[in-house]
Amino acid sequence: MHIFVTVGTTKFEDLIKVLSKQQVLSSLYELGYTSITFQIGEGIYEPNSSVIFPSQSQSQQQQQDDNNTNHTNKQQPQQPQQTKQQHIQINYFRKKPSISEDMKQSNLIITAAGAGNLFEALSIQRQQQQQSNTNNNTNNIHNNNTNINNNIKIIAVPNETLMGNHQLELAKALDENRNVYMLRIKDFEHVIINEKEELKRKLNELIPLEKANTNAFRKIVDEEMMI
């Protein structure tokens, strides 16, 4: 599966850096993701093209083996162990006239919570769901949620270093509406590494955005879109 990360037209160094950490990438690999494309905007930090790591299950087994060795009184020569290396393929670019195709080709979009990026991702997510429903109807399948878990998932990460923007409010509203899963940058690493099952559950519960269902939500959208 593929991840597309986008920061928008400016930069979001903290997001790119945390997603480039070995433990974070290892956790994403454990969730089934094997490639990432970064759109880094004006950021200075550039991700490595490939990060190699042992699987977490192998690391845990190695630690257990080490503990067992420490508790035995027999002095036996240690045999070299073969460790299967894993990696996530990484690509990046700064800007493009359009990132729609990058979003469409992804299974997970991790985006700064600017209105432009968010609503483009949500629009693609909705189109994909409509196509799934059309395919289901063609096959006489009437449950509209049959393929919902196969749709693009969206994680919104507010860039709270920007002044005078509504990224946090917008992401919270969309999170409450179950259109995106909001992760603040201060919690990002912990959740990805230590709460993988909860993360998977929340992503699988996401639904496409149909319309704003509260006055507060509409107000944020109107302000962001300058309506």
Side-chain angles (χ1 to χ4, degrees):
M1 293 193 295
H2 181 65
I3 300 172
F4 179 56
V5 181
T6 173
V7 304
T9 57
T10 57
K11 61 182 179 180
F12 196 173
E13 299 284 73
D14 289 341
L15 179 60
I16 303 301
K17 287 179 179 179
V18 74
L19 273 163
S20 300
K21 290 186 176 182
Q22 187 180 63
Q23 279 189 296
V24 171
L25 291 170
S26 179
S27 291
L28 291 172
Y29 187 94
E30 294 282 328
L31 287 169
Y33 299 100
T34 57
S35 61
I36 302 180
T37 297
F38 290 89
Q39 181 266 316
I40 65 173
E42 298 175 354
I44 297 173
Y45 183 82
E46 298 178 349
N48 292 327
S49 60
S50 182
V51 177
I52 299 174
F53 45 82
S55 69
Q56 289 189 1
S57 58
Q58 287 174 323
S59 298
Q60 292 167 356
Q61 183 62 49
Q62 178 63 49
Q63 184 174 0
Q64 182 64 42
D65 292 343
D66 291 344
N67 290 339
N68 292 338
T69 300
N70 290 336
H71 286 86
T72 184
N73 292 324
K74 295 181 179 180
Q75 299 297 322
Q76 297 178 347
Q78 291 186 340
Q79 298 297 320
Q81 295 188 353
Q82 296 293 324
T83 301
K84 182 181 179 182
Q85 291 183 327
Q86 301 171 334
H87 77 282
I88 287 184
Q89 187 61 45
I90 296 172
N91 297 292
Y92 75 90
F93 63 90
R94 293 192 174 276
K95 295 179 182 179
K96 285 182 180 179
S98 172
I99 57 174
S100 293
E101 286 304 314
D102 295 279
M103 288 185 171
K104 290 176 183 177
Q105 292 170 11
S106 65
N107 303 98
L108 171 64
I109 298 171
I110 301 176
T111 177
N117 274 12
L118 270 180
F119 287 115
E120 183 171 10
L122 287 164
S123 176
I124 290 170
Q125 182 193 58
R126 185 175 66 250
Q127 291 168 18
Q128 188 185 64
Q129 175 62 19
Q130 290 171 344
Q131 183 61 48
S132 292
N133 290 343
T134 300
N135 293 339
N136 288 344
N137 290 335
T138 301
N139 294 317
N140 295 320
I141 299 174
H142 301 291
N143 180 1
N144 288 341
N145 290 324
T146 299
N147 290 330
I148 187 68
N149 290 341
N150 294 327
N151 286 347
I152 293 171
K153 311 298 190 293
I154 303 170
I155 296 177
V157 187
N159 187 347
E160 298 176 60
T161 64
L162 300 177
M163 301 297 292
N165 73 88
H166 294 290
Q167 287 202 13
L168 183 58
E169 298 165 83
L170 182 60
K172 280 183 177 179
L174 289 166
D175 181 276
E176 290 171 2
N177 208 41
R178 292 196 300 139
N179 305 126
V180 308
Y181 177 44
M182 185 192 77
L183 265 180
R184 299 179 74 170
I185 196 69
K186 64 185 180 68
D187 302 319
F188 193 97
E189 183 174 358
H190 172 79
V191 170
I192 298 296
I193 294 173
N194 299 305
E195 299 180 11
K196 289 193 291 295
E197 291 304 314
E198 177 71 2
L199 172 64
K200 188 188 301 184
R201 182 184 67 80
K202 285 185 174 292
L203 291 178
N204 284 335
E205 290 176 350
L206 296 181
I207 58 176
L209 174 66
E210 297 299 333
K211 61 180 180 179
N213 59 2
T214 68
N215 289 331
F217 182 83
R218 281 194 292 271
K219 182 175 183 294
I220 293 170
V221 173
D222 290 347
E223 288 177 0
E224 285 289 341
M225 303 302 290
M226 294 183 291
I227 298 173

